[in-house]
Amino acid sequence: MELQTPDHFANHKDAVEDQKKIRASRKNLYLAAISANLALSACGCCFAWTSPVIPKLKQPGSFIHLDEFLGSWVGSLLMLGSAVGPFIAGIMIDAVGRKWTLLVDSVVLLVAWAILASAQSVWMLFVGRFMCGIAVGIIFMGVPLYIAEIAEDKLRGALGSVIELFLSAGFMIEYCAGPFLSYNNLILVSVILPILFIITFIWMPESPHYLLASGRRTDAAKSLRWLRGNISHDAVEKEITQIEAFLEESSEKKVSLRDLITNRGNLKALYVSVGLLSLQQLSGINVIQFYVQPIFVKTGSSLEPKYSAMIVGGVQLISACFTAPLTRKLGFKIPLLISSAGTCVAQVLLGFYFYMEEQKMDAVVYFAWVPIFSLVLYIFVFCSGLGPLPWAVMGEMFAPNMKALASAVITSFTFLLSFFVTKFFANICIRLGTHFAFGIFGASCGVSFVFVYYCVPNTKGMSLQDIQDKLNKVKTPPEPTKYVTKL
C-alpha cells in the first residue's frame, strides 16, 4: 500500500486549486462568447420572421397583400442582402475591429426592423428585408471570426459550435410568438435581442489578434488577461508571443484573390469551406426554416401548422444543446458525418411522402406521420452538425492575413446560393413537384457525407498554427523524448 505523505496532500490540494482557477479563468471567455452569440439569436429572428408573417400577409384584407410571387421575394431578399454584407464586413473588421463592426451592424439591424415596422407598401418590405440581410451577412462573418480568435485551442471547436444554439433560440421566439402576435408586436419582440446584444457586448474586449495586428500590444495583453482570467503574467506573455509569431508569419506579404487559389493551404481551406457551406444550403435548411408553416399546409397534416412550427423550433433548440459537448469530445468530422447521413434520410423520406401525395396514392394515409417525423429528424441532426460546424470550420481554416478576404468571399457565395434556393423553391414545386425539390435536398445531403469523409481534415485540439501547417503540409518537428529516472 502506498503511503500518503503530507507533500502528497499538499500537491493534491494545489492541483484542485489549479483546476478551480482554470474553471474561473474560463468564465470571462464564456461570457464574451455568449454575448457575441446573442447577435446570432437576432439573426434567427430575421430568418424565421417570414414563417408566421407571410401567411398573415397572404390573407385577404391584410394591410399589405402578398401573393406567392411577392412572398417568395420577401423571404429570399434577406439572403440577397446577406450576400452583400460580408464584403462590408471584410473592410470593417480590419479597419475598426471585430467588436465595433458587430456593434455598428446591430444598429443597422435595428434600422432595418424600424423600416419593416413602418412599411406601408411591399417595396418597404423589400428594403427592410434586404437591410436585415446585410446585417445578417456581417454577423455571420464577424461572430465566428471573433470566437475563433478569443478561444483557447481546446475550446475553439466547442465555442464555435454553439452558433446553432443561439440561432435556434431566435427561431424559437418567432415560431412561438409569431402566430399569436400582430405584425408590429412581433417586430417589437424581434428587436429585443439586438438591443440586448449591444448592451452586453459593448463591455466585452476586442480580439487580441486584431489588437496585435494593429500594433496595440498593451491592449492585446489586457484583453487576453481578461479572457483567460486568473493566469500569470508569464502565461499571458507566452500566448501573446505565439499570436505575434503567427501574425508575423501570415502577414509577410499582402494578399489578393489570386493568393486564395494559388497558395496550397488557402486553396484547400477554400474548397473545404465552400464545399461544406454549399452543401449545407443545398440540404434545404433555409427553405424549411423560412417556410415551415406553408410546408405543413402542403402536407395536409391534421396538426395546425403553427403548432408544427413550434415543435420544429423546440427540437432545433434542444438538439443545438448537444453540439458543443459532441464537438468537444469528437471534433468536427464525426458530427458532420452523422448529421449528413441523418439529414439525407429525413429529406428522402419527406420527398417520398410528397411523391405519394402528388400521385394521389391511397397508401399515403398510412404515412401521415412522415412529415412531422422527417422534419423533426432533419432539424435534430442538422443542428447537431451540418448547421453550425461549417461556419466554425471556416473560422479556423485561414491564416490571419487571408481571413477577412476569404470569409467575405465564402460567406457572400453561401448566401447568394441560399437566395437562389429559397427564391426558386416555389418554382420547382410548381413545375416539377414538391417531391423533386426534397429529392434534390436529400441527394445533396448524401453528397455532403462523401465530401466530409474524404475532404474535411480532422482539426480536433489543434492550434490555428497547427491547422495552417496541416493545410500546407508543413511537417512539425516531433517533441524530444522525455526520460524519467525512477528512484
Side-chain angles (χ1 to χ4, degrees):
M1 182 173 138
E2 189 180 353
L3 292 175
Q4 306 295 320
T5 64
D7 285 343
H8 173 87
F9 288 111
N11 291 336
H12 177 70
K13 185 178 179 182
D14 289 343
V16 171
E17 289 299 317
D18 288 342
Q19 279 300 112
K20 287 181 179 178
K21 282 186 177 182
I22 289 171
R23 282 197 292 270
S25 72
R26 287 175 177 168
K27 287 179 182 177
N28 289 344
L29 175 61
Y30 293 151
L31 185 62
I34 290 169
S35 177
N37 276 296
L38 285 174
L40 269 301
S41 294
C43 289
C45 289
C46 294
F47 284 129
W49 182 76
T50 51
S51 182
V53 167
I54 286 181
K56 290 179 181 179
L57 295 181
K58 286 182 178 180
Q59 291 176 359
S62 63
F63 73 102
I64 299 175
H65 183 67
L66 298 180
D67 56 20
E68 199 71 33
F69 175 76
L70 293 175
S72 69
W73 276 106
V74 171
S76 60
L77 270 173
L78 179 86
M79 311 314 294
L80 195 59
S82 299
V84 176
F87 290 105
I88 299 172
I91 297 169
M92 290 183 67
I93 60 174
D94 285 337
V96 300
R98 285 61 162 150
K99 175 181 174 179
W100 284 103
T101 295
L102 291 169
L103 287 171
V104 171
D105 180 61
S106 295
V107 176
V108 174
L109 184 56
L110 289 174
V111 172
W113 280 120
I115 292 172
L116 289 171
S118 59
Q120 296 297 319
S121 69
V122 71
W123 290 104
M124 290 185 73
L125 289 180
F126 288 170
V127 172
R129 288 291 285 171
F130 186 78
M131 281 190 66
C132 277
I134 291 174
V136 165
I138 294 173
I139 289 169
F140 264 82
M141 181 173 166
V143 171
L145 181 59
Y146 179 80
I147 297 296
E149 291 183 346
I150 67 170
E152 300 171 28
D153 293 339
K154 291 181 180 178
L155 293 176
R156 191 183 312 108
L159 289 179
S161 66
V162 298
I163 285 174
E164 192 66 33
L165 176 61
F166 285 85
L167 196 62
S168 301
F171 280 102
M172 193 62 181
I173 289 170
E174 300 294 315
Y175 290 155
C176 290
F180 306 103
L181 294 179
S182 67
Y183 176 89
N184 281 324
N185 285 341
L186 182 58
I187 290 177
L188 286 176
V189 170
S190 301
V191 300
I192 291 173
L193 284 167
I195 292 172
L196 187 59
F197 168 76
I198 292 171
I199 291 171
T200 59
F201 195 63
I202 198 167
W203 303 104
M204 297 301 114
E206 179 57 271
S207 157
H209 285 68
Y210 168 75
L211 293 171
L212 285 171
S214 303
R216 296 159 59 185
R217 196 178 196 280
T218 304
D219 290 337
K222 183 180 177 181
S223 171
L224 196 60
R225 189 173 293 112
W226 187 88
L227 289 165
R228 299 295 180 262
N230 301 320
I231 61 173
S232 66
H233 174 76
D234 290 342
V236 171
E237 281 298 311
K238 181 180 178 182
E239 189 166 352
I240 286 286
T241 303
Q242 290 173 344
I243 297 172
E244 282 179 326
F246 183 40
L247 291 171
E248 185 178 352
E249 182 180 341
S250 302
S251 59
E252 288 177 352
K253 62 175 185 175
K254 292 182 178 179
V255 295
S256 64
L257 279 173
R258 180 187 175 94
D259 297 310
L260 195 56
I261 57 175
T262 56
N263 176 276
R264 181 193 191 109
N266 290 338
L267 183 60
K268 185 164 186 179
L270 179 67
Y271 82 69
V272 167
S273 300
V274 169
L276 278 177
L277 285 164
S278 296
L279 291 165
Q280 176 203 67
Q281 295 304 314
L282 291 171
S283 76
I285 181 59
N286 284 316
V287 165
I288 288 173
Q289 291 174 331
F290 282 26
Y291 305 119
V292 64
Q293 284 196 40
I295 287 172
F296 274 110
V297 170
K298 281 177 178 286
T299 66
S301 171
S302 57
L303 187 64
E304 282 192 58
K306 61 185 178 184
Y307 296 120
S308 300
M310 290 178 200
I311 292 171
V312 169
V315 171
Q316 185 173 357
L317 188 60
I318 293 168
S319 64
C321 296
F322 294 99
T323 310
L326 271 176
T327 305
R328 190 172 180 180
K329 186 175 181 62
L330 303 173
F332 289 152
K333 191 159 186 169
I334 294 175
L336 279 170
L337 286 170
I338 295 170
S339 183
S340 298
T343 52
C344 179
V345 171
Q347 295 290 47
V348 168
L349 273 176
L350 197 54
F352 176 67
Y353 175 85
F354 278 119
Y355 177 78
M356 287 196 302
E357 187 186 56
E358 288 162 6
Q359 296 299 315
K360 302 189 184 306
M361 295 183 179
D362 295 336
V364 74
V365 295
Y366 300 110
F367 295 91
W369 53 271
V370 166
I372 188 67
F373 172 80
S374 297
L375 286 177
V376 165
L377 173 62
Y378 174 85
I379 289 295
F380 186 86
V381 291
F382 180 88
C383 293
S384 336
L386 203 53
L389 299 188
W391 296 105
V393 168
M394 184 188 74
E396 68 175 26
M397 280 281 118
F398 294 95
N401 63 332
M402 182 56 73
K403 274 185 181 179
L405 178 62
S407 297
V409 171
I410 295 167
T411 307
S412 179
F413 172 80
T414 300
F415 282 116
L416 191 61
L417 178 61
S418 182
F419 164 74
F420 284 108
V421 172
T422 52
K423 177 68 184 72
F424 295 108
F425 169 72
N427 301 68
I428 293 173
C429 291
I430 292 168
R431 293 179 180 275
L432 301 173
T434 307
H435 72 280
F436 191 86
F438 282 95
I440 293 173
F441 297 153
S444 299
C445 295
V447 172
S448 175
F449 182 91
V450 176
F451 181 81
V452 171
Y453 186 84
Y454 287 105
C455 301
V456 177
N458 188 355
T459 60
K460 183 176 182 291
M462 289 186 176
S463 68
L464 294 175
Q465 182 61 60
D466 292 337
I467 293 169
Q468 288 303 304
D469 290 342
K470 185 180 181 73
L471 292 172
N472 289 284
K473 294 197 174 180
V474 176
K475 292 185 178 179
T476 306
E479 292 185 5
T481 306
K482 295 180 182 178
Y483 296 95
V484 180
T485 305
K486 205 170 184 179
L487 296 176

